């Protein structure tokens, strides 16, 4: 399918829930037409194609979702720029996951561990060093090559049932499957879940990490809505989505990553007793208003207030003659800036540690991206931290580069960070 922009040609996520197949999705937040958040340009003259970015919610299962206007092979193709290993805090999270799951499952040397969307091998290298056999599945070609260069066996393909059948035949069925921040990235959610189910035997545990949709709404984290994220997950929605594939949700762990995430444990139906955390989490989600228009409407109103707050702050800084720079060419930052109509004269530059992003321009705003060392040269008065989920880490870096600059985040409101 080519990129389309009409509801009639993009039914999943527009009319039909991609999780439970219910009809009647409810419009919650329309962010207008936006460019792909990770599709950077090489010059300010290069246009940024835009596509609708419109969050809807299934009133039956609570799955948040956007329409399929851009397919994964464009978003996650060979030039996909995100590298997990760039963030030291994310590497530390992967190390903690390795220790935690090894202890919880009693993983032994030689046990097979797989990761779906394994990126540059950030996690599987640590699992390998702990003695496990590892296999990654990663669709972005250049990123997969980086993983292979680190000694991580990697299948370069989009995960689904057909790929799962090939992987199971080649490598066998694993004790552990990690799917960190990937279930939200697939348009055909049911095919993805069918693939996970095919890889399982009775001893397999799947862990799925994703930001909590309820937390996103309660804390106004609307900037995590972008075209890569086809779905927005809750325990209630995950339990409903996997039920028809021979899997069940048997445990939920709360995480601090990405502003508040859940780790969902999935196992073959009937093989593991459900942990009390499953019922507790679902009850809390419903009590918070997951399935109620009141929460959806309040979330939309607060999101618009954040957008207006950033625009006002930038205008005030410009009027006062202050120089503003950004830190972190993150996808969430591009959603925020494009919603606020940010242009290249609002920020002198954005710096980012990823060499793949440096020398390019942010989509839509066309703000130039540079290496962090260049921050000192422009000596900004204010630095807008776009990946607010790692703001403390970035704040320390800014303090070293530009000691006198003030660091700010815009979500859930404009405020300085220490």
């Amino acid at each position: 399918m080519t990129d389309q922009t009409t509801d009639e040609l993009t039914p999943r996520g527009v009319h039909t829930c991609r999780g439970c197949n219910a009809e009647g999705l409810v419009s919650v937040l329309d962010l207008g037409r936006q460019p792909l958040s990770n599709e950077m340009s090489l010059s300010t003259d290069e246009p940024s194609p835009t596509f609708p970015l419109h969050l809807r919610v299934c009133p039956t299962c609570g799955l948040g979702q956007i329409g399929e206007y851009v397919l994964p092979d464009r978003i996650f193709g060979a030039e996909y720029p995100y590298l997990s290993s760039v963030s030291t805090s994310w590497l530390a999270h992967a190390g903690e996951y390795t220790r935690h799951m090894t202890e919880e499952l009693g993983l032994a040397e030689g046990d097979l561990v797989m990761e779906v969307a394994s990126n540059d091998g950030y996690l599987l290298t640590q699992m390998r060093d702990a003695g496990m056999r590892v296999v990654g599945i990663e669709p972005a070609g250049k990123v997969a090559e980086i993983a292979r260069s680190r000694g991580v066996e990697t299948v370069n393909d989009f995960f689904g049932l057909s790929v799962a059948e090939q992987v199971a035949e080649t490598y066998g069925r694993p004790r552990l499957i990690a799917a960190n921040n990937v279930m939200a990235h697939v348009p055909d959610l049911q095919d993805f879940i069918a693939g996970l189910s095919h890889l399982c035997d009775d001893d397999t545990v799947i862990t799925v990490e994703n930001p909590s949709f309820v937390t996103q709404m309660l804390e106004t984290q609307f900037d995590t809505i972008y075209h890569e994220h086809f779905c927005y997950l809750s325990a209630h929605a995950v339990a409903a989505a996997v039920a028809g594939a021979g899997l069940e949700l048997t445990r939920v762990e709360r995480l601090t990553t990405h502003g508040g995430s859940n780790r969902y444990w999935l196992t073959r139906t009937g093989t593991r007793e459900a942990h009390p955390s499953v019922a507790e989490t679902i009850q809390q989600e419903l009590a918070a208003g997951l399935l109620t228009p009141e929460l959806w409407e309040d979330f939309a109103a607060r999101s618009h207030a954040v957008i207006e707050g950033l625009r006002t702050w930038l205008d005030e800084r410009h009027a006062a003659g202050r120089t503003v720079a950004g830190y972190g060419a993150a996808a969430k930052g591009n959603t925020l800036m494009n919603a606020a109509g940010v242009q290249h004269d609002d920020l002198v530059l954005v710096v980012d540690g990823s060499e793949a992003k440096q020398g390019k321009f942010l989509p839509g705003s066309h703000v130039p991206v540079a290496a962090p060392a260049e921050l000192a040269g422009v000596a900004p008065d204010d630095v807008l931290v776009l990946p607010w989920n790692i703001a403390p880490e970035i704040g320390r870096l800014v303090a070293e580069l530009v000691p006198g600059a003030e660091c700010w985040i815009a979500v859930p409101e404009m405020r300085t960070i220490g």
Side-chain angles (χ1 to χ4, degrees):
M1 183 189 297
T2 58
D3 296 334
Q4 301 288 350
T5 56
T6 62
D7 287 0
E8 291 77 18
L9 296 178
T10 55
R12 286 181 300 193
V14 174
H15 301 301
T16 306
C17 177
R18 50 170 49 95
C20 72
N21 292 322
E23 300 287 336
L25 303 186
V26 178
S27 170
V28 172
L29 180 62
D30 187 350
L31 292 168
R33 295 180 67 91
Q34 294 214 16
L36 302 184
S37 286
N38 274 314
E39 194 168 274
M40 296 184 160
S41 55
L42 297 175
S43 74
T44 55
D45 296 328
E46 186 178 337
S48 298
T50 61
F51 307 90
L53 188 59
H54 189 162
L55 175 70
R56 295 174 171 87
V57 175
C58 175
T60 301
C61 73
L63 184 70
Q65 50 211 288
I66 65 170
E68 290 174 43
Y69 297 104
V70 187
L71 297 184
D73 55 354
R74 174 168 179 168
I75 298 174
F76 303 106
E79 301 301 322
Y80 183 62
Y82 179 75
L83 298 178
S84 297
S85 294
V86 169
S87 171
T88 56
S89 60
W90 193 243
L91 285 175
H93 174 70
E96 178 56 33
Y97 174 85
T98 298
R99 291 186 291 272
H100 176 59
M101 297 309 298
T102 298
E103 180 179 333
E104 288 283 340
L105 301 182
L107 295 177
E109 185 172 352
D111 280 345
L112 179 60
V113 175
M114 292 184 182
E115 184 178 17
V116 179
S118 49
N119 202 262
D120 58 6
Y122 75 103
L123 170 62
L124 291 181
T125 53
Q126 300 192 52
M127 283 286 184
R128 179 200 61 203
D129 292 345
M132 266 59 84
R133 292 188 300 128
V134 298
V135 176
I137 304 165
E138 170 56 48
K142 289 186 178 179
V143 178
E145 281 302 318
I146 293 172
R148 291 190 186 113
S149 73
R150 295 171 175 171
V152 175
E153 181 81 14
T154 304
V155 176
N156 179 210
D157 210 338
F158 287 96
F159 183 77
L161 179 57
S162 63
V163 171
E165 291 171 343
Q166 297 168 24
V167 169
E169 183 176 352
T170 302
Y171 301 101
R173 288 180 165 79
R175 284 290 316 283
L176 173 64
I177 303 171
N180 295 337
N181 299 293
V182 60
M183 189 177 277
H185 292 70
V186 292
D188 194 340
L189 184 61
Q190 294 177 10
D191 179 64
F192 182 87
I193 292 170
L196 292 177
S197 180
H198 183 81
L199 284 178
C200 286
D201 60 22
D202 289 351
D203 293 325
T204 304
V205 169
I206 305 163
T207 64
V208 172
E209 292 185 20
N210 268 101
S212 160
F213 186 40
V214 171
T215 300
Q216 288 174 312
M217 288 192 287
L218 291 175
E219 299 190 8
T220 326
Q221 297 170 1
F222 74 93
D223 54 342
T224 58
I225 301 168
Y226 43 92
H227 298 96
E228 288 180 21
H229 291 168
F230 294 97
C231 299
Y232 303 83
L233 305 180
S234 61
H236 189 277
V238 169
V242 304
L247 298 174
E248 62 180 332
L249 177 62
T250 51
R251 184 171 173 180
V252 181
E253 295 180 276
R254 307 294 178 84
L255 308 173
T256 59
T257 52
H258 296 289
S261 298
N262 288 333
R263 178 182 293 143
Y264 306 106
W265 289 42
L266 308 176
T267 53
R268 295 202 69 75
T269 302
T271 59
R272 182 181 288 259
E273 184 177 355
H275 190 272
S277 58
V278 175
E280 291 170 1
T281 303
I282 291 175
Q283 182 180 14
Q284 290 165 1
E285 291 173 345
L286 296 176
L290 172 64
L291 302 181
T292 65
E294 290 79 11
L295 177 60
W296 308 337
E297 292 166 2
D298 185 50
F299 166 67
R302 285 183 279 108
S303 298
H304 286 300
V306 170
I307 294 167
E308 293 168 6
L310 174 60
R311 185 66 263 170
T312 299
W313 180 82
L314 286 168
D315 291 342
E316 290 173 348
R317 288 302 183 270
H318 182 73
R322 293 174 69 87
T323 300
V324 181
Y327 202 116
K332 57 166 53 75
N334 290 321
T335 291
L336 171 64
M337 292 200 297
N338 284 308
V342 174
Q343 298 298 316
H344 59 83
D345 54 352
D346 288 313
L347 276 71
V348 62
L349 54 72
V350 168
V351 299
D352 194 280
S354 171
E355 294 183 3
K357 298 181 180 182
Q358 295 164 11
K360 297 181 180 178
F361 297 85
L362 296 181
S365 65
H366 284 118
V367 176
V369 181
E374 295 192 31
L375 197 64
V378 300
D381 302 296
D382 302 284
V383 176
L384 178 63
V385 177
L386 295 167
W388 45 259
N389 53 300
I390 55 172
E393 176 184 334
I394 290 177
R396 290 189 292 270
L397 295 172
V398 172
E400 295 174 2
L401 292 166
V402 193
E406 287 191 334
C407 280
W408 296 78
I409 58 173
V411 177
E413 60 188 4
M414 291 300 310
R415 62 180 176 87
T416 58
I417 62 173

